[in-house]
Amino acid sequence: KNQVEQSPQSLIILEGKNCTLQCNYTVSPFSNLRWYKQDTGRGPVSLTIMTFSENTKSNGRYTATLDADTKQSSLHITASQLSDSASYICVVTPTSGTYKYIFGTGTRLKVLA
Amino acid sequence: EPEVTQTPSHQVTQMGQEVILRCVPISNHLYFYWYRQILGQKVEFLVSFYNNEISEKSEIFDDQFSVERPDGSNFTLKIRSTKLEDSAMYFCASSLQGQGETQYFGPGTRLLVL
């Protein structure tokens, strides 16, 4: 069964610190892996997208990595800001025959002043 | 920057009532989607829609659900007879192309069934 699991479930860090969020997936084969940011009560917003052949992708202070061999991805946030407080969701798109996204369980990040 | 919009932002209804959730996708997008998120759970796919027909649906999308693109701009999700377990946040999304393309999500409609 296609699954996307994330850890930790929640994380609290101080402003200015770095953090890394993890994603493990069983979706195979897949075409893309995305990281989305979801503010409370809002829709998810795309941060990064990687194909199965890419290892890393950056978007400002966000850097995503992908290891297709171990089926793991991570999202590293550098110099966190209060506005980074949100849920971060790993989303995988299977390769063929489907349009749907498979969402991970999400990591809820809280950045404190 | 163009965005997906949804109305209403909140909807409260009685069990057994019909509700229609509305979405205006990004204007040049061709593929449309509905997802739902029960409080505290992950986002789940409901249905995708292209060329005026359903292209894919999940097991959640049973006969109580229907989708429609009544005109050139709106995309609706109808729940015919709501159940308590339909209470969730419903997200509409759209994409320019289909499989593998980035989907852009609306802000969601929070549905509460009493």
Side-chain angles (χ1 to χ4, degrees):
Chain A
K1 187 179 178 182
N2 289 328
Q3 298 268 31
V4 180
E5 301 292 333
Q6 293 183 241
S7 62
Q9 207 170 33
S10 61
L11 182 63
I12 300 175
I13 61 174
L14 293 176
E15 188 178 14
K17 298 296 186 183
N18 304 333
C19 66
T20 300
L21 315 180
Q22 301 290 342
C23 172
N24 296 295
Y25 60 91
T26 60
V27 183
S28 183
F30 74 95
S31 62
N32 297 303
L33 186 147
R34 293 174 168 84
W35 282 90
Y36 273 81
K37 178 185 180 185
Q38 184 180 20
D39 292 309
T40 302
R42 308 293 295 176
V45 175
S46 180
L47 292 175
T48 63
I49 172 174
M50 291 180 289
T51 66
F52 66 91
S53 60
E54 293 180 290
N55 299 121
T56 187
K57 185 67 68 77
S58 290
N59 177 6
R61 295 181 296 104
Y62 302 103
T63 299
T65 64
L66 174 62
D67 186 334
D69 292 330
T70 61
K71 294 185 170 55
Q72 293 180 327
S73 176
S74 66
L75 180 70
H76 186 75
I77 304 175
T78 304
S80 60
Q81 300 174 358
L82 297 179
S83 58
D84 292 333
S85 296
S87 287
Y88 291 84
I89 308 174
C90 177
V91 180
V92 181
T93 307
T95 295
S96 62
T98 181
Y99 300 98
K100 67 181 178 185
Y101 279 2
I102 299 175
F103 280 75
T105 48
T107 291
R108 187 178 297 278
L109 175 67
K110 180 72 174 172
V111 181
L112 300 178
Chain B
E1 185 175 329
E3 57 183 18
V4 176
T5 60
Q6 291 185 241
T7 55
S9 58
H10 294 78
Q11 173 101 40
V12 181
T13 189
Q14 295 288 328
M15 191 170 57
Q17 295 295 305
E18 175 184 286
V19 295
I20 298 177
L21 310 183
R22 291 182 167 81
C23 167
V24 178
I26 294 173
S27 61
N28 62 335
H29 283 186
L30 302 176
Y31 293 78
F32 314 112
Y33 315 84
W34 284 101
Y35 291 82
R36 79 171 184 191
Q37 186 176 30
I38 295 171
L39 189 64
Q41 298 185 22
K42 66 174 76 173
V43 178
E44 301 171 288
F45 170 79
L46 291 178
V47 66
S48 62
F49 190 86
Y50 169 71
N51 200 27
N52 277 321
E53 60 182 31
I54 291 174
S55 46
E56 185 178 6
K57 61 182 181 180
S58 71
E59 58 274 13
I60 303 169
F61 194 88
D62 60 22
D63 293 342
Q64 294 299 313
F65 292 89
S66 62
V67 289
E68 193 178 32
R69 189 156 162 82
D71 52 46
S73 59
N74 289 284
F75 179 52
T76 62
L77 173 70
K78 182 193 290 186
I79 309 174
R80 266 184 264 285
S81 177
T82 50
K83 302 189 275 285
L84 296 177
E85 54 265 36
D86 293 327
S87 295
M89 189 76 139
Y90 288 81
F91 293 107
C92 173
S94 70
S95 63
L96 184 59
Q97 298 295 331
Q99 204 259 336
E101 283 287 308
T102 296
Q103 297 175 18
Y104 294 84
F105 287 80
T109 292
R110 185 173 296 283
L111 176 65
L112 179 60
V113 182
L114 302 176

